[in-house]
Amino acid sequence: MTGPGLTEAEAALRLGRDGPNELRQDEPPSPVALFLGQLRSPMVALLGGACLLAAVMGEGVDAAAIGVIVALNAVVGFLQEYRAERALLALRGMTAPRARVMRDGQERVIPAREVVVGDLLLLNAGDVVAGDGRLVEAYALTLSEAALTGESLPVTKQIGGQPEEQPEEQP
């Protein structure tokens, strides 16, 4: 085993300073708000003006064509954004609810939201990693990053990573 990990006092200090280890959970926008958001762009305003001008000039076919294009664009944009919101909610549900860490030289199971910078995470096959980290010790470690990157094959991880001088505080 590598080191005793953090002390409970130091972990509590870092948790208070940096906040919990969780994705920010803003209230997702309603489907109506998402759809209306698709109509708030300079290009849609320009096309709306062109549609209105074509209608006033008696070009009903052109006005209808422009209106259909604006509506299709809004529907496609809405569907993409709605799916992205649902994917983010699913990603939040996939995060590790618990994490095994070394604290005061003892293995402890804590809620994943209490993992702090500097914690020594202990992982077994099949575990969901509770946050970013630097490998200290590993043997033939591969991780599935499909939920984050879309890559279908497991990625081999090596000890090392970013230099030790990397700042611990995140903006």
Side-chain angles (χ1 to χ4, degrees):
M1 188 50 48
T2 308
L6 297 175
T7 63
E8 286 292 337
E10 179 62 23
L13 178 74
R14 292 179 185 196
L15 183 62
R17 180 188 70 201
D18 300 333
N21 174 40
E22 59 189 357
L23 294 173
R24 189 171 25 124
Q25 295 185 7
D26 296 334
E27 187 67 32
S30 72
V32 172
L34 281 178
F35 183 76
L36 292 176
Q38 299 302 313
L39 301 175
R40 293 187 191 121
S41 75
M43 183 58 73
V44 169
L46 181 65
L47 288 172
C51 180
L52 183 63
L53 185 61
V56 168
M57 294 179 62
E59 299 293 332
V61 174
D62 290 343
I66 294 170
V68 167
I69 289 170
V70 169
L72 283 175
N73 182 56
V75 167
V76 168
F78 163 76
L79 290 174
Q80 288 178 327
E81 202 163 336
Y82 184 73
R83 287 182 183 145
E85 286 291 331
R86 288 181 52 191
L88 183 58
L89 288 174
L91 187 59
R92 283 187 188 134
M94 290 173 48
T95 57
R98 299 194 184 282
R100 286 185 320 118
V101 298
M102 289 295 289
R103 295 261 176 98
D104 292 321
Q106 306 251 335
E107 181 179 322
R108 296 222 164 85
V109 177
I110 62 171
R113 67 184 314 271
E114 294 178 12
V115 171
V116 296
V117 174
D119 259 331
L120 249 167
L121 295 172
L122 306 172
L123 304 173
N124 285 324
D127 283 354
V128 175
V129 180
D132 287 340
R134 180 180 294 122
L135 290 176
V136 178
E137 185 177 315
Y139 176 75
L141 177 65
T142 59
L143 299 176
S144 171
E145 297 179 347
L148 299 173
T149 65
E151 178 62 42
S152 62
L153 299 174
V155 178
T156 302
K157 298 294 183 176
Q158 302 293 326
I159 294 175
Q162 295 180 338
E164 289 293 327
E165 307 84 53
Q166 183 73 19
E168 288 186 355
E169 293 185 31
Q170 300 297 320

